[in-house]
Amino acid sequence: MQRIVLPLAATLIWAAAASPSPASASPQDHVKVRHVKRIQAHCQKKAQRVIKKAQRVVKKAQRVVESKSKATKPRVERKAKRVVKRTQHVVEKANEHGLVQAEPTPGAVHAITQAKLDPPDTANPLVALAMSYEGKNPTGWSHNWCAHYLNMILQEAGYPSGGNLARVYASYGQPTPARVGAIAVMPNHVGVVAFVGDDYVILVSGNHSGSSGHRTVGLGRYAMSRITTFRMPLVREMIMADEPKLAPGEG
């Protein structure tokens, strides 16, 4: 830009200096005057074109700055806005064609889930006792009460106490394959096996159904891979039979 403007300024200055005064004008001077005026007019037009070009360059630079400022917005924010717009468009189209259905209520979801579960084998006394509290919380606890509930029904059925921590039941009773009436032990949950499938078990356990703090006893399906061990509770008579008998005079 400087290479164009500086020569033009020099030309205009020269043309102004070369203009003769009217008193000393000769025919040759009049020719020079006309020539100078043409040069001045040419230089003025060229200067105007340069100014317009400079204005266009400034506008283009402003547009570049604005586009870069937009590009500096976080990509996540721009993507989120695009996703929202697309989602709104899809929902509007679905509503137009009647494709949107109302979401099922929590009660309906629970009913559907329960319908898909295999029926518990209530012929087993421990399963029948555990199922008698379905939909309730007989412990009075609000959090982490699955082991406390299991301990309660074990004692009610005549078995020894196992404690109120789920992990303790990994050594309770004796090990057994998956079977109805056994205790299924997981790192943070325990329950009574009510049905055995090919690669899963149905458990009846406490702290199962409902929202946190308001859960109840319920049935749930668990993959075999989640079970740490299965344990079979021992009746008090069997435990006493395994204890060493004291010799006369001992104790």
Side-chain angles (χ1 to χ4, degrees), residues 2-228:
Q2 290 179 350
R3 290 197 301 269
I4 298 173
V5 174
L6 292 177
L8 281 174
T11 304
L12 290 171
I13 293 170
W14 172 83
S19 299
S21 60
S24 61
S26 64
Q28 291 83 6
D29 292 333
H30 287 294
V31 173
K32 289 181 180 179
V33 169
R34 287 195 298 270
H35 180 65
V36 169
K37 286 182 178 180
R38 284 197 298 270
I39 292 175
Q40 288 177 340
H42 175 73
C43 291
Q44 287 175 353
K45 289 180 180 179
K46 196 167 185 179
Q48 289 175 354
R49 288 197 298 270
V50 171
I51 292 171
K52 289 181 179 179
K53 186 175 181 180
Q55 290 174 344
R56 289 197 298 270
V57 171
V58 171
K59 288 182 179 179
K60 185 175 181 180
Q62 289 175 344
R63 288 196 298 269
V64 170
V65 171
E66 291 175 358
S67 63
K68 285 186 177 180
S69 64
K70 291 180 180 178
T72 56
K73 289 184 178 181
R75 290 183 60 189
V76 175
E77 180 182 346
R78 297 199 304 271
K79 186 175 181 180
K81 289 182 178 179
R82 290 197 298 269
V83 170
V84 169
K85 288 182 179 179
R86 286 199 297 267
T87 304
Q88 290 175 345
H89 178 71
V90 171
V91 171
E92 289 173 0
K93 289 294 182 183
N95 283 324
E96 289 177 3
H97 295 84
L99 299 177
V100 178
Q101 297 180 357
E103 294 185 359
T105 62
V109 172
H110 178 69
I112 293 170
T113 304
Q114 292 294 95
K116 293 179 181 179
L117 296 177
D118 299 281
D121 185 358
T122 52
N124 180 276
L126 188 59
V127 174
L129 177 60
M131 286 296 298
S132 67
Y133 295 101
E134 185 180 16
K136 304 173 184 177
N137 177 3
T139 66
W141 289 22
S142 58
H143 294 85
N144 304 326
W145 54 274
C146 61
H148 182 45
Y149 169 70
L150 177 62
N151 186 49
M152 186 192 79
I153 62 171
L154 283 172
Q155 293 185 79
E156 191 173 337
Y159 296 106
S161 172
N164 296 326
L165 296 175
R167 62 176 179 269
V168 174
Y169 287 88
S171 58
Y172 181 83
Q174 62 183 8
T176 180
R179 55 187 287 192
V180 173
I183 298 170
V185 184
M186 289 170 274
N188 296 303
H189 194 61
V190 287
V192 179
V193 178
F195 183 89
V196 179
D198 294 332
D199 58 352
Y200 67 92
V201 289
I202 304 296
L203 303 183
V204 52
S205 59
N207 197 30
H208 172 73
S209 304
S211 59
S212 179
H214 303 281
R215 291 176 178 164
T216 61
V217 175
L219 290 170
R221 175 171 171 155
Y222 298 84
M224 289 285 190
S225 58
R226 293 185 59 186
I227 309 301
T228 304

